[in-house]
Amino acid sequence: MSAQAPLRLPPTAVTESAAHLSRAGRYHFTRRNLYYELVRRSVCPAPEGQPRAALDTFRQALTEHERAEGELPGLIRSGRVMLRRSTRTSVAEAPPDLFEYDVRRVLVFDRADTFLLFAMNGFHRRIEMGLVLHPGFPAWVWRSLERQLERGVSASFHTVHDCNTRGYALRRRLERALAKYPRAKITTLGLHFGQAFQLGVPVRTVGSRVSWEYEPGQETGTDLLLASGSYAHLEELPPLELLRWAYARVAKGHEEAGFG
Amino acid sequence: MGVVLGYVGQGDEALLLGMLGRLAHRGGPIRELVATPGFGFASARRAAAGEVEASGGPGQSRDGRVSCVIEGRLLNEAALVEELRQRGVELREREAPSGGPSASELVANLVMTHGEDAFALLDGAFTVAVRSGDTVYLARDALGEKPLYYGEVGGTLLFASEIKAFLAAPGFVSVPDLDSLTKLLVFSFVPGERTMFRGVSQLMPGTTLRLREGRIEALASWDVKEEIEAHDEAAFADQIRAGVEAAVERRIPPSRRVGAFLSGGVDSSAVVAVLRSRGVDVTTFSASFGHGNPNELFYARLVAEHCGVPHRVIDVEPDDFLDLLPDVIYGLDDPLCDCITVPNYILAREAAREFSVVFNGEGGDPLFGGPKNKFLILGEWYRPFGGYDRARAYLSSYHKFYDHLGDALTPELQARTGGARALEEEIRGYLDDPTVSHFLNRLMRLNIKLKGGQNILVKVDKMLSANGVEPASPLFDRALAELSFKLPPALKRRGDIEKYAFKKAVESLLPRQIVYRKKAGMGVPLNQWFRASSLGGYTRDLLTSKRALERGYFQASFVRELLDGRGAPHGFGQDRSGELLWMLLAIELWHRVFVDGEGKR
């Protein structure tokens, strides 16, 4: 994987992009959201065949930018760092009844950043769904779900992932984790290739890479696309569009949460 | 149903009669009135069966030092009479066939014997005004079934069951309270003491005010207390069942003929079932919002058939109610921008043709752990990750203007009202309350105090009283509320079943599919109405009128986006533009009716 040339981010473009993504401070957004917004504005080069390198380069440039210009409000900082910090925050002070309640529907993510995007933007409060980062995070939520399943109360898990081999493998990984619970039902929310095309999310290629977890032969069209190195990232959608997309897919037949 | 009103300061009989005239829809020929320099008060109510019209003075204590007028009913009257008898105070029997002492005389004698502690003894749906020497007391029932308002007009303190009585007072001018407008936009009602009428306050539920030497003080008020008891599920279910039956029984009128609003949900269905089990002659009423719109009429019919009671379905469509809207707004007084007020009004109008008392199922959700609590519980689950503030999440969850204040309000209005900061702090007080250890109970207490007594019950009282009908809300019973806070939260919400203990309590009364089905809510098809009925054009004409724009409240572009069906910007979730438009419409109509002086039709 070749190193990319250092990138300098024009401050105005970054600020405008951040304001656009956050809808003037209403939403939290990820670094990938920001990267792809800057790609759309032709400020950053498109990832071409090396998305990881492109994103690493961007992260470095963003760090430099924030060092010079201050932190961007609304930016979800490194997902893994935030999660480590948050697990140190105790839920021990929580009111005693907080985990006595069942949750019948759960979104399951394979990336920390997308999990945090949904959690920090309150998706779970809008439509009453649990949010879980696979495997088993947050522990207090996962334990509560397991207890519920052990009692024989059903729950449906909807996987949310990028359109790539790792993402497609999420469902199989989750099935293995929940195999002992007959009342766990698993479906895929997305992102898959058909949705990417419909939503206008660019389907890019990275060269021929197949995750060891992915088992080809299940869906011919998907196999061919994945085998050719095609992928699409959920976070090419700005946060509000991403939330709207997910909401539309889970809201049917369910009342919106709230006191209004 | 009845009226209580009065003055402290300058006033006379003419003022009292003028105020009574404004509230003729909820008054009646049985009157108690006294007007003296410096103080006067009055009550008016309908005659009970066999009672002759009568006007007289207020209820008096035996020693003549305490006088009282009351509106509504005391539900523990017999126990209070006995209490006084034990203390050697015998009350006069009335000459009416119903016999017994008058409620106002009862309260006057209770104050004589117990002083200010008397007010905590009263249970029911009532407001009272008491004069004891140089002190005046105003008291409102625990949950807020009956409203009472007070305010100063030209140096005189006025009080009345409805604000519109103040219109009879010389010098009273309806001026909008802009801080209350912000609250209204967030909640769709105005919580707290202030109202939309500047200078007019509401007496908070469960509160007694002492007025003495020009000072107004609030005495300690009723509140629910979390005191979890250790009983098993069956024992609690039995207690709830007994409590519901007692609450219903105490509200049955002597005629034993009532109407009942029936949605098909477990709460109203349970009330109907209990009434029927008591041999009450019940006719049920449900609203239909037009062919093709989702509704729960199937379940309402099922309940009516199960209980063997007549069921009337009343159509509610814009072409039928547009002309009524000013009357609805006038009837509400302090604005309530919930579109359900219109079906309530129309159903009450129908029920009033035959019934003087109409039961409803309001109260089951706030008392027994109804739906719409879990999303905030989920909010707590993910709290460590940030982006969450309890109070803001609560306010946002009303799905009204809280998330749109910056876009919707003009800069001038934003500058004058200071936004929602004060509201956030008020809500935080409830949600962070360490004296209530269970989070579900904090939510329920907040909803009882806020939505219950300041929205739901007020709406019920005003919409039914406007049609000359007495409401009965047995599930908003004080004893039931106190019982609900003895339940472990796990019995209010067992796993994913909301109102678990309540459902256990009533499951033998109703078909299982009524008790355990998922609640759908009263789906008024506002979006469709605004887009495809006469309501859209009517609303557009009003909201884009010069008069509306000159009020300077709302950004014209924001209103236009809503009217053009583009929805409120920046949101994900259900399209709530119909609800937002309804609120704007209600606010503009309120201004026309009260501020511009157009009145009702």
Side-chain angles (χ1 to χ4, degrees):
Chain A
M1 204 180 309
S2 59
Q4 299 210 339
L7 180 64
R8 278 215 170 71
L9 299 175
T12 307
V14 173
T15 308
E16 282 174 3
S17 297
H20 171 72
L21 290 169
S22 73
R23 292 287 182 132
R26 288 178 178 83
Y27 293 98
H28 291 82
F29 56 95
T30 66
R31 284 161 304 160
R32 271 198 193 178
N33 284 145
L34 184 58
Y35 168 69
Y36 282 116
E37 180 62 25
L38 289 167
V39 167
R40 277 190 285 277
R41 292 173 186 241
S42 304
V43 172
C44 288
E48 301 302 343
Q50 299 177 35
R52 187 166 292 179
L55 284 162
D56 284 343
T57 303
F58 171 73
R59 274 190 211 106
Q60 285 160 20
L62 183 59
T63 302
E64 285 304 315
H65 169 87
E66 288 198 296
R67 198 170 285 146
E69 306 288 333
E71 287 194 348
L72 279 171
L75 178 67
I76 295 169
R77 309 211 165 272
S78 162
R80 285 192 217 100
V81 169
M82 287 191 80
L83 291 176
R84 278 201 298 274
R85 281 199 200 125
S86 66
T87 49
R88 282 191 233 122
T89 305
S90 167
V91 287
E93 290 160 11
D97 59 323
L98 216 50
F99 296 98
E100 290 179 356
Y101 310 109
D102 295 339
V103 175
R104 304 304 291 271
R105 303 198 299 157
V106 185
L107 290 182
V108 182
F109 302 87
D110 68 336
R111 288 193 73 248
D113 276 9
T114 34
F115 164 81
L116 285 169
L117 186 153
F118 276 70
M120 293 176 76
N121 287 314
F123 187 89
H124 52 293
R125 286 183 274 116
R126 196 83 199 208
I127 192 69
E128 261 185 39
M129 292 183 79
L131 307 172
V132 163
L133 170 65
H134 188 70
F137 186 87
W140 55 90
V141 173
W142 188 253
R143 275 199 296 271
S144 185
L145 286 166
E146 285 188 310
R147 284 196 295 269
Q148 171 185 324
L149 290 165
E150 279 158 12
R151 279 189 281 112
V153 178
S154 66
S156 58
F157 296 81
H158 307 265
T159 57
V160 183
H161 54 80
D162 286 327
C163 183
N164 54 18
T165 53
R166 185 188 144 85
Y168 273 93
L170 173 61
R171 179 169 178 158
R172 190 57 55 87
R173 284 156 55 207
L174 189 61
E175 282 169 353
R176 283 196 284 267
L178 294 172
K180 60 183 170 176
Y181 302 116
R183 302 306 304 270
K185 184 179 156 198
I186 300 169
T187 62
T188 300
L189 201 78
L191 185 69
H192 55 67
F193 285 109
Q195 293 164 332
F197 293 129
Q198 272 179 346
L199 290 166
V201 177
V203 175
R204 306 178 191 274
T205 55
V206 72
S208 183
R209 276 180 66 203
V210 177
S211 164
W212 65 270
E213 293 168 288
Y214 180 69
E215 291 173 16
Q218 308 298 318
E219 299 168 61
T220 311
T222 300
D223 291 346
L224 285 173
L225 284 163
L226 289 173
S228 70
S230 296
Y231 70 92
H233 283 162
L234 259 179
E235 287 152 89
E236 287 229 32
L237 289 170
L240 180 55
E241 282 182 50
L242 178 49
L243 294 164
R244 280 179 175 163
W245 166 77
Y247 183 91
R249 293 185 67 75
V250 299
K252 198 167 177 193
H254 294 272
E255 201 184 355
E256 189 167 67
F259 290 115
Chain B
M1 187 180 63
V3 172
V4 146
L5 50 85
Y7 62 86
V8 180
Q10 278 201 324
D12 55 23
E13 185 172 315
L15 172 62
L16 294 178
L17 291 175
M19 292 171 78
L20 283 173
R22 287 281 180 172
L23 300 190
H25 53 278
R26 66 186 296 146
I30 307 296
R31 285 187 175 180
E32 296 175 336
L33 184 152
V34 67
T36 64
F39 177 76
F41 60 3
S43 71
R45 63 173 175 83
R46 284 193 177 164
E51 194 174 15
V52 297
E53 289 188 17
S55 290
Q60 294 273 349
S61 61
R62 199 174 55 177
D63 64 5
R65 289 181 57 250
V66 183
S67 55
C68 170
V69 291
I70 182 170
E71 189 246 316
R73 283 184 66 192
L74 293 176
L75 299 178
N76 61 340
E77 208 172 277
L80 294 172
V81 169
E82 182 55 31
E83 220 276 324
L84 285 173
R85 195 166 284 140
Q86 302 276 338
R87 288 173 175 251
V89 179
E90 293 287 340
L91 303 176
R92 287 176 302 154
E93 298 289 305
R94 282 176 292 187
E95 290 175 13
S98 54
S102 75
S104 55
E105 187 186 339
L106 169 58
V107 174
N109 280 282
L110 282 168
V111 175
M112 180 190 76
T113 51
H114 292 80
E116 291 176 348
D117 292 340
F119 299 104
L121 301 176
L122 308 179
D123 183 17
F126 63 87
T127 53
V128 299
V130 171
R131 187 184 192 186
S132 176
D134 62 356
T135 305
V136 173
Y137 298 96
L138 302 176
R140 187 178 175 194
D141 65 79
L143 279 300
E145 286 188 73
K146 295 293 180 188
L148 191 66
Y149 303 90
Y150 62 97
E152 213 167 287
V153 181
T156 295
L157 184 87
L158 299 180
F159 56 90
S161 298
E162 293 187 18
I163 300 172
K164 56 177 78 61
F166 289 37
L167 297 172
F172 178 77
V173 179
S174 300
V175 178
D177 183 321
L178 296 184
D179 285 331
S180 295
L181 177 60
T182 304
K183 289 184 174 183
L184 180 66
L185 289 167
V186 170
F187 288 102
S188 82
F189 60 97
V190 186
E193 289 174 6
R194 285 162 81 162
T195 68
M196 265 300 286
F197 295 80
R198 194 192 297 169
V200 179
S201 302
Q202 71 156 329
L203 181 56
M204 298 296 283
T207 301
T208 302
L209 288 187
R210 179 203 295 139
L211 289 66
R212 182 190 290 159
E213 293 170 354
R215 283 200 322 271
I216 301 176
E217 291 171 74
L219 305 182
S221 58
W222 178 87
D223 200 347
V224 283
K225 281 200 194 74
E226 186 185 58
E227 291 170 330
I228 308 293
E229 291 182 356
H231 298 301
D232 65 27
E233 179 181 306
F236 270 120
D238 287 343
Q239 284 188 42
I240 294 170
R241 172 77 173 257
V244 171
E245 288 174 343
V248 168
E249 181 70 56
R250 293 193 300 172
R251 288 163 170 82
I252 298 170
S255 67
R256 299 191 81 77
R257 280 190 76 243
V258 302
F261 289 168
L262 179 62
S263 67
V266 65
D267 300 336
S268 58
S269 302
V271 169
V272 169
V274 170
L275 282 166
R276 201 68 198 105
S277 74
R278 292 293 192 262
V280 174
D281 181 357
V282 186
T283 295
T284 56
F285 295 83
S286 304
S288 162
F289 301 120
H291 180 69
N293 286 309
N295 59 58
E296 301 198 298
L297 288 175
F298 168 80
Y299 299 104
R301 279 190 203 107
L302 187 63
V303 172
E305 277 170 24
H306 176 81
C307 297
V309 299
H311 182 221
R312 310 229 183 112
V313 177
I314 313 298
D315 286 325
V316 178
E317 293 194 69
D319 285 344
D320 301 324
F321 68 67
L322 274 189
D323 286 346
L324 282 181
L325 285 179
D327 292 358
V328 171
I329 298 298
Y330 184 79
L332 288 169
D333 251 17
D334 208 23
L336 295 172
C337 300
D338 185 344
C339 60
I340 208 69
T341 47
V342 170
N344 281 168
Y345 184 94
I346 292 174
L347 288 187
R349 188 178 61 174
E350 285 302 313
R353 296 185 207 276
E354 289 178 62
F355 304 100
S356 56
V357 176
V358 174
F359 277 71
N360 62 71
E362 303 280 10
D365 286 348
L367 262 60
F368 291 107
K372 304 183 177 187
N373 287 300
K374 195 161 82 185
F375 73 99
L376 269 190
I377 291 168
L378 285 174
E380 296 294 309
W381 283 16
Y382 297 94
R383 190 178 201 189
F385 303 109
Y388 172 71
D389 174 278
R390 274 176 189 166
R392 290 191 198 132
Y394 180 86
L395 293 172
S396 179
S397 77
Y398 275 75
H399 301 312
K400 301 295 186 286
F401 280 88
Y402 179 72
D403 291 328
H404 309 291
L405 288 176
D407 294 321
L409 305 190
T410 59
E412 295 75 23
L413 184 59
Q414 289 188 58
R416 285 171 75 181
T417 61
R421 187 73 48 87
L423 272 178
E424 290 165 12
E425 290 318 304
E426 190 178 332
I427 297 302
R428 214 183 295 287
Y430 283 94
L431 295 179
D432 293 352
D433 183 0
T435 68
V436 182
S437 63
H438 294 86
F439 193 70
L440 182 61
N441 281 344
R442 290 183 199 173
L443 286 172
M444 285 174 45
R445 177 169 169 261
L446 172 55
N447 283 337
I448 288 170
K449 305 282 283 184
L450 206 75
K451 282 186 77 169
Q454 300 179 61
N455 180 21
I456 298 170
L457 287 170
V458 174
K459 168 200 68 173
V460 166
D461 174 84
K462 298 274 181 72
M463 291 295 87
L464 270 64
S465 298
N467 289 284
V469 179
E470 173 81 37
S473 308
L475 299 186
F476 260 121
D477 183 82
R478 174 176 163 170
L480 275 179
E482 288 166 354
L483 172 61
S484 77
F485 277 74
K486 297 187 170 118
L487 262 68
L491 285 185
K492 286 179 190 157
R493 202 180 171 97
R494 163 71 57 89
D496 201 40
I497 302 176
E498 70 262 4
K499 297 192 295 200
Y500 179 79
F502 178 80
K503 289 178 177 179
K504 280 290 175 203
V506 303
E507 67 181 356
S508 63
L509 293 171
L510 293 164
R512 190 172 176 82
Q513 73 183 111
I514 295 294
V515 179
Y516 289 105
R517 70 182 183 90
K518 207 169 150 85
K519 177 166 174 159
M522 180 95 73
V524 183
L526 277 177
N527 285 354
Q528 190 203 326
W529 280 354
F530 278 111
R531 281 174 199 151
S533 82
S534 46
L535 183 62
Y538 173 86
T539 304
R540 185 179 291 272
D541 288 345
L542 248 67
L543 296 185
T544 58
S545 66
K546 187 163 173 282
R547 212 190 326 178
L549 295 169
E550 281 177 352
R551 299 197 203 278
Y553 293 162
F554 305 112
Q555 306 251 20
S557 54
F558 183 88
V559 176
R560 231 176 7 252
E561 294 268 325
L562 289 180
L563 287 168
D564 292 345
R566 287 196 285 274
H570 312 304
F572 69 94
Q574 205 176 308
D575 176 10
R576 302 259 177 175
S577 37
E579 292 173 49
L580 300 183
L581 273 174
W582 183 271
M583 291 183 66
L584 297 181
L585 174 62
I587 290 167
E588 175 57 28
L589 282 171
W590 180 86
H591 279 77
R592 291 185 182 218
V593 168
F594 288 105
V595 177
D596 300 346
E598 286 178 12
K600 58 179 183 171
R601 278 181 308 160

